């Protein structure tokens, strides 16, 4: 059922079902793919809502985000149950993910109430300057319009209907039209209805949020191509993200696409730390690569090992043999995983593999090959979405550096090293600064904190826009642009720019930060 | 002569000349278009320079910008003379523009020395948090790599070789390969050599700046398509900017294009202020639209007049009849201006026109038509680069609002009104917030202050990227991306992120702004 403003709609004829990964069977009732007319209706309402919504106070938008959090919690156990059926993710993980989702809403509400995120800048006039007077200039970030948000399959709550993209767009003052992920339509439906209830409760303009279903690419493309849509946010595959990017660039009015398309998140193990605690690292590596059945965007899909580390390799193989696999989110992901592993085994040796409870589960797999082989054949280090990783054996320090320099854009890179290692390999850290959005020392990349200093993004092809993050408060900057008000009388200025600073926000005044 | 790192090169066979707009004759010596090999050499050097250059301290980069300013001033009168020959702009304007260019370099040097522009954010670890510890996260903006910068024709100094794009890229820590504008190659050559001298004097890595000449689109396209180029900055025509944008989006690795492509910068005159000082406004309007022979990106190309304003129209026509035109920058611009005015006169009446000294000069022209005609035919309000404007007669307030709502993206919009007017037309100001980068009250859009709060940008089609500005200190944000350092020991962090804040910059620490 599409949620179009405060109405529901089901005009289409193309139906589909959610999917239970544990049984491989359809789950829940039939859902109807949105028609182009329904997409148009949703975007048109969003466009109409934009003006009244963006004029609301930041506090009113914060109330909205908090109301969404309340409505999601009020859904109670049925939300977790349906998400569990549609994803086969364990309950503890889903409970944690709900907590993350609600926490994210509250963090953005806090950001709005604090208010400094608008980056207000004031340059006072110099009427007597020669040869020409200097005008009074005041700049702040303002929302850009309706945003199309595409839900990810792998986080049915935190990167879905009320996930970081939706929340940061709504926080910025932009209405959202959400494209539900067809792998968990029932979860989407419940959360979508919760957002609509929150909007309704606060009498927000109709169309501030809508949600459309779809299993083909048609409704999503209709969204991206709609002239009133002003930006796109997406988390998913490279193929999907790149198709949206291309469509957006071809529009009569090109628009930004913030597609987070995953990466292999290379992990570098350095010699000294392997001596110190190689066995513990092997265990942590396997834990990270099997977290959520390996379905994290930040899964460590590639690791680099210095020469002569048979102990680490053997320990990895030994531990892996006792490691359980799990159900992948969709049949498509499962088939792609099996095919990907199949292709890799033609080129690389299997170092070790885990176990499964039944035939529908997939095994975690670690393959091994040399850095030089990986440098010659890019396919060896391409992402295989799921619980797998390729261990690359470096034959020398030069090998390790050559691999680091050859990297394309990734979300993260990780280095494990003692202080001695890190001093010795300081150049590695410098190289990685130009390759990724986040560098992790002595940890693992899975686990993406929602906070102010998080960057979940990185150079192409990990995303289509490295200037940004899709997790953390800085994500709000994707949906705004600077606007300057020249020589405005105080009463006509937005509150953030008024001389007396009624919002008590931090502002750059004549080049000095002031509150 | 191409400037490739610290060498010069002239391998090509395709030569061209600068142009003297006052005589219509070639000016200065022959220049050789860069070959693809020369472009590749320049970008390869820039890529090699990137690592050492970005690792320099901010103070060292500030020294570089200040040295460029000194070297430009040291060029003395010959720079102004050659610029005058190649542009026919008056000496006072060129002296002013040189001041602006030097001031811009110094402002960015100041920004670097102050240092807070990197937007450092620190979220401290919470090792005891349950269920999972919170890592230490530190984020800052870091440079992205070599930038291709295209000079504009209309500001031979301030938007050319050492213009805002080059300066903000160099300030960010990105090497620049500059594509000289073929209309003023001699001016480019002198300024390019000044930058090379400054780099050499400070022993900066070779390739931090290179400059290639070209009159065809080939060298520019080779630049944009070079895999080592990470972003493009451009000021010029819609056609030129859009072609670069399309080429950049088609690359195997798409890159951002910051193209400022001009606009018609609508001016709204409101009824009460016209009563109060209509004659003065007519004069200021003509002054603004003929500034620099109308060759400003922020030229007021369209103005909207309320009903029954014959006095204003008559005064505009009367003043215009005594207003001198001038020489346009290139024969291409001149022909396009004459053709554009020719096309307009088939659809709109000529309200008035100015005078010229000789046949090579063009007259300023104001045309008039109704808002309703403009709403029906977009061609009436398309940019005609040069000293022309179209005065649109509104038949009602609804007309005025309909026109404001119909606007595409513009760099600026301007409203003239008394306090009474502005209160009455407050909705107009709200509409304009969604249409432009800068709203000017009771002034004119020409004259773009270089300061912290300036936005010189706006929604498509005025630019290809509304998230940014090409003038003012915020322009530096175009050439950086956020990078997060997770659990780094203090000694491995960039200075901006070290716990003790050795640079004494403003940082967002656990959500609080601190210095």
């Amino acid at each position: 059922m599409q949620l179009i403003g405060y109405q529901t709609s089901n005009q289409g004829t193309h139906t589909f079902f959610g999917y239970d990964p544990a049984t491989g069977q359809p789950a829940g009732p039939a859902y109807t793919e949105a028609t182009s007319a329904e997409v148009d209706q949703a975007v048109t309402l969003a466009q109409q809502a934009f003006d009244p919504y963006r004029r609301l106070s930041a506090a009113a938008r914060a109330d909205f985000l908090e109301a969404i959090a309340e409505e999601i919690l009020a859904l109670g156990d049925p939300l977790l149950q349906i998400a569990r059926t549609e994803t086969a993710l364990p309950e503890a993980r889903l409970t944690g993910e709900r907590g993350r989702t609600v926490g994210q809403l509250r963090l953005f509400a806090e950001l709005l109430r604090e208010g400094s995120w608008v980056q207000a800048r004031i340059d006072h006039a110099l009427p007597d300057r020669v040869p020409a007077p200097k005008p009074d200039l005041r700049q702040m970030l303002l929302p850009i319009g309706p945003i199309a948000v595409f839900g990810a399959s792998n986080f049915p709550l935190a990167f879905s209907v009320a996930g970081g993209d939706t929340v940061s767009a709504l926080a910025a003052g932009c209405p959202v039209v959400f494209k539900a992920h067809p792998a968990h339509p029932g979860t989407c439906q419940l959360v979508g209805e919760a957002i609509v209830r929150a909007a309704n409760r606060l009498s927000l303009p109709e169309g501030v949020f809508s949600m459309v279903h779809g299993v083909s690419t048609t409704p999503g493309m209709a969204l991206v191509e709609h002239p009133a849509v002003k930006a796109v946010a997406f988390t998913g595959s490279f193929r999907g993200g790149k198709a949206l990017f291309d469509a957006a660039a071809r529009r009569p009015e090109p628009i930004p696409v913030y597609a987070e398309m995953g990466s292999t998140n290379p992990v570098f193990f350095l010699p000294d730390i392997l001596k110190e605690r190689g066995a513990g690292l092997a265990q942590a590596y396997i834990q990270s690569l099997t977290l959520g059945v390996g379905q994290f965007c930040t899964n460590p899909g590639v690791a680099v090992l210095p020469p002569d580390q048979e102990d680490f390799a053997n320990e990895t193989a030994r531990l892996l043999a006792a490691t359980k696999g799990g159900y992948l989110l969709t049949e498509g992901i499962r088939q792609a995983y099996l095919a990907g592993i199949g292709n890799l085994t033609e080129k690389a040796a299997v170092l070790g593999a885990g176990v499964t409870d039944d035939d529908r589960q997939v095994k975690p797999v670690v393959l091994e090959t040399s850095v030089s082989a990986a440098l010659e054949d890019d396919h060896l280090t391409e992402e295989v979405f799921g619980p797998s990783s390729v261990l690359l054996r470096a034959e020398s320090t030069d090998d390790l550096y050559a691999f680091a320099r050859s990297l394309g854009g990734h979300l993260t890179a990780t280095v494990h090293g003692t202080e001695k290692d890190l001093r010795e390999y300081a150049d590695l850290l410098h190289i990685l600064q130009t390759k990724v959005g986040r560098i992790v020392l002595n940890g693992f990349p899975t686990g993406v904190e929602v906070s102010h200093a998080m960057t979940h993004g990185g150079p192409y092809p990990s995303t289509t826009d490295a200037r940004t993050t899709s997790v953390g408060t800085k994500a709000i900057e994707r949906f705004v642009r600077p606007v300057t008000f020249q020589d405005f009388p105080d009463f006509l200025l937005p509150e953030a720019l008024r001389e007396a600073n009624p919002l008590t926000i931090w502002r750059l005044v004549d080049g000095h930060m002031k509150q």
Side-chain angles (χ1 to χ4, degrees), chain A:
Chain A
M1 190 92 85
Q2 332 308 329
L3 304 174
I4 301 189
Y6 291 129
Q7 311 297 318
T8 57
S9 179
N10 238 354
Q11 292 167 12
T13 52
H14 185 177
T15 59
F16 66 99
F17 291 87
Y19 174 77
D20 180 347
T23 64
Q25 298 301 312
Y31 287 86
T32 307
E33 177 158 295
T35 64
S36 295
E38 286 172 324
V39 169
D40 178 63
Q41 227 184 319
V43 179
T44 303
L45 276 178
Q47 189 178 20
Q48 288 164 8
F50 178 47
D51 197 52
Y53 184 60
R54 73 187 179 84
R55 293 205 205 182
L56 289 181
S57 68
R61 294 208 299 271
D63 289 344
F64 181 30
L65 301 186
E66 284 162 354
I68 294 172
E70 284 162 25
E71 293 289 347
I72 288 173
L73 289 176
L75 291 172
D77 285 348
L79 174 65
L80 300 179
Q81 281 154 15
I82 203 165
R84 196 169 179 191
T85 303
E86 290 182 332
T87 64
L89 292 169
E91 194 174 324
R93 147 73 190 269
L94 290 169
T95 309
E97 198 181 320
R98 182 179 60 182
R100 179 190 177 93
T101 308
V102 165
Q104 190 162 254
L105 283 154
R106 289 176 179 154
L107 179 64
F108 276 93
E110 207 179 287
L111 186 80
L112 293 179
R113 292 194 198 284
E114 196 283 329
S116 304
W117 74 272
V118 299
Q119 298 183 20
R121 294 173 167 213
I122 296 175
D123 294 331
H124 285 104
L126 295 172
D128 301 327
R129 191 183 63 175
V130 281
K134 181 179 180 182
D136 181 273
L137 296 167
R138 294 169 190 242
Q139 182 192 59
M140 69 182 289
L141 300 176
L142 290 176
I144 56 175
I147 310 299
V149 177
F150 289 75
S153 64
N154 57 346
F155 283 80
L157 301 171
F159 285 80
S160 191
V161 189
D165 290 335
T166 299
V167 176
S168 50
L170 290 176
C174 296
V176 167
V177 180
F178 188 82
K179 162 64 180 59
H181 199 287
H184 54 267
T187 310
C188 289
Q189 193 70 31
L190 283 183
V191 177
E193 286 167 2
I195 298 180
V196 171
R197 264 197 301 279
N200 218 329
R201 170 143 71 90
L202 298 173
S203 305
L204 295 183
E206 178 169 16
V208 66
F209 176 83
S210 289
M211 185 177 82
V212 294
H213 286 282
V215 70
S216 81
T217 58
T218 311
M221 277 295 169
L223 252 182
V224 172
E225 289 169 357
H226 197 293
V229 166
K230 295 303 177 196
V232 177
F234 168 92
T235 299
S237 68
F238 176 78
R239 225 179 89 192
K242 185 57 166 49
L244 297 181
F245 176 84
D246 289 340
R250 274 194 313 265
R251 285 168 46 121
E253 177 193 346
I255 53 173
V257 173
Y258 301 104
E260 190 272 82
M261 307 182 291
S263 66
T264 53
N265 305 293
V267 176
F268 294 84
F269 294 106
L270 299 182
D272 198 46
I273 202 161
L274 284 170
K275 240 185 286 171
E276 215 173 73
R277 46 189 177 96
L281 286 176
Q283 187 170 26
Y285 170 47
I286 290 170
Q287 275 170 358
S288 178
L289 78 88
T290 55
L291 204 63
V293 202
Q295 299 166 115
F296 274 50
C297 307
T298 52
N299 199 52
V302 169
V304 182
L305 207 58
D308 308 319
Q309 299 292 341
E310 292 322 302
D311 288 355
F312 180 89
N314 293 339
E315 179 69 2
T316 300
R318 192 184 71 77
L319 291 167
L320 202 56
T323 303
K324 279 207 180 174
Y327 302 106
L328 292 180
L329 290 159
T330 69
E331 184 56 20
I333 291 174
R334 182 168 168 269
Q335 292 299 341
Y337 180 73
L338 296 174
I341 297 296
N343 290 337
L344 279 176
T345 53
E346 286 173 19
K347 301 178 170 192
V350 174
L351 176 69
V355 292
T356 56
D357 287 334
D358 65 48
D359 279 1
R360 295 213 51 76
Q361 292 192 342
V362 298
K363 290 178 188 174
V365 181
V366 174
L367 298 110
E368 64 172 334
T369 186
S370 65
V371 163
S372 46
L375 288 174
E376 269 167 37
D377 184 352
D378 285 350
H379 295 297
L380 279 164
T381 52
E382 269 173 12
E383 185 176 9
V384 177
F385 192 70
S388 77
S389 189
V390 177
L391 198 58
L392 300 179
R393 307 286 200 115
E395 280 161 27
S396 63
T397 303
D398 284 355
D399 242 20
L400 178 146
Y401 274 103
F403 182 71
R405 283 199 194 88
S406 80
L407 287 171
H410 289 263
L411 296 170
T412 70
T414 298
V415 180
H416 285 274
T418 59
E419 184 172 327
K420 176 169 170 286
D421 281 326
L422 296 173
R423 285 192 191 272
E424 210 172 313
Y425 288 82
D427 269 351
L428 174 62
L429 298 176
H430 274 287
I431 294 168
L432 296 177
Q433 282 183 29
T434 66
K435 304 290 189 177
V436 307
R438 177 166 58 110
I439 310 176
V440 180
L441 286 197
N442 293 319
F444 280 90
T446 39
V448 181
E449 191 69 30
V450 183
S451 71
H452 299 292
M454 174 51 67
T455 307
H456 188 62
Y460 189 87
S462 67
T463 75
T464 52
D465 197 315
R467 291 163 285 184
T468 182
T469 174
S470 66
V471 175
T473 53
K474 203 177 175 69
I476 198 171
E477 296 175 17
R478 297 177 294 172
F479 306 116
V480 291
R481 63 182 181 87
V483 175
T484 296
F485 299 78
Q486 179 169 328
D487 287 335
F488 269 55
D490 211 59
F491 76 97
L492 280 175
L493 284 167
E495 279 193 302
L497 298 179
R498 290 196 188 153
E499 191 60 23
N501 195 11
L503 302 178
T504 341
I505 59 176
W506 286 95
R507 314 192 290 188
L508 192 71
V509 181
D510 299 323
H512 300 282
M513 194 57 86
K514 285 186 181 163
Q515 189 182 30

